Amino acid sequence: NSIMMNPNTGAIIALVGGRDYAKSQYNRATSSFRQVGSVMKPILYYSALENGFTSSTCFTSEETTFTFSNNQNYSPRNASEIYGNKPISLAAAIAYSDNVYAVKTHIFLGEESLVNMANRLGINSNMQAVPSLALGTSEINIIELTSAFAAFANEGYKIKPHLITKIEDRNGNVLYQVDDVKESILNPSLVYILNNLLTTTYDASFVDYVN
């Protein structure tokens, strides 16, 4: 399932909800909820920037087990079990999608911080404020997720996703017209920094611990 959205207006200009309507009328784009994985990280890192992080803020990337109350443990793993085994910057963590750095950031900020930021961006799906949320373990609808990312594309504005722009009767009278007024919800300077950091994905100059 996939959608294409105009980030400036919220207009959904293309949508694929299934393979064959004759076999199944279930629209996955509008109705399904899926774990989003590392797509959650830009939302986390915007929250981090808003709370004082910079591109050079460091946490140690190493195999880590977090222990919480009631002796509950959580051991996130990096892809291919590759770790820096030293302090790495936010820029490097984004470049290699470092999971340990993401979870440490999430816990440092407080697990509710990511939920609150996602809600601010328009994600209303049920999200649990748990350590693994930083790695996208909560299930989110793709329309909500895309509209949230629109705020990064349009420099900080919340938009209303919609399929119908206007309805007129046979005489041209407007029966319905979408209100596409944008709401400023993010700091455009921080959005610019985040977007710039996201362009460094797999840039070897940022990741010096991967062959």
Side-chain angles (χ1 to χ4, degrees):
N1 62 298
S2 59
I3 69 167
M4 182 182 297
M5 181 183 293
N6 183 328
N8 294 308
T9 66
I12 298 172
I13 56 180
L15 181 149
V16 178
R19 292 184 177 180
D20 190 335
Y21 187 78
K23 293 182 179 179
S24 173
Q25 291 76 52
Y26 182 68
N27 190 326
R28 290 169 177 79
T30 59
S31 302
S32 69
F33 294 79
R34 294 186 179 183
Q35 293 184 352
V36 297
S38 290
V39 175
M40 202 70 182
K41 289 176 183 174
I43 301 173
L44 168 69
Y45 291 138
Y46 177 84
S47 181
L49 290 170
E50 197 172 73
N51 282 279
F53 278 49
T54 70
S55 59
S56 60
T57 299
C58 291
F59 283 125
T60 300
S61 169
E62 62 186 358
E63 192 168 347
T64 304
T65 296
F66 298 90
T67 302
F68 305 98
S69 59
N70 301 322
N71 291 321
Q72 293 182 329
N73 296 325
Y74 178 52
S75 302
R77 295 285 185 262
N78 279 354
S80 302
E81 297 287 340
I82 297 174
Y83 305 89
N85 293 312
K86 62 180 181 180
I88 66 169
S89 67
L90 172 59
I94 289 176
Y96 199 66
S97 194
D98 192 287
N99 288 338
V100 173
Y101 189 105
V103 174
K104 286 185 176 181
T105 300
H106 180 46
I107 293 173
F108 179 85
L109 296 176
E111 291 147 320
E112 288 290 345
S113 178
L114 181 52
V115 174
N116 293 337
M117 180 57 63
N119 290 159
R120 194 204 303 183
L121 289 164
I123 297 176
N124 297 312
S125 300
N126 183 37
M127 289 171 288
Q128 293 184 321
V130 295
S132 63
L133 179 61
L135 307 184
T137 53
S138 286
E139 296 182 339
I140 298 173
N141 176 262
I142 191 173
I143 293 179
E144 285 186 334
L145 185 64
T146 305
S147 63
F149 267 71
F152 299 140
N154 66 29
E155 299 182 340
Y157 290 88
K158 182 178 180 179
I159 47 84
K160 179 181 179 181
H162 59 275
L163 289 161
I164 300 172
T165 302
K166 184 167 63 174
I167 300 174
E168 297 180 353
D169 64 17
R170 66 174 63 188
N171 298 315
N173 298 309
V174 176
L175 304 179
Y176 166 83
Q177 186 164 358
V178 69
D179 178 6
D180 59 2
V181 175
K182 297 188 296 185
E183 176 188 359
S184 179
I185 58 169
L186 303 180
N187 183 324
S189 296
L190 298 181
V191 172
Y192 177 85
I193 293 170
L194 176 65
N195 288 345
N196 188 262
L197 288 170
L198 291 172
T199 67
T200 66
T201 303
Y202 290 109
D203 185 333
S205 64
F206 283 87
V207 187
D208 61 1
Y209 60 89
V210 180
N211 296 325

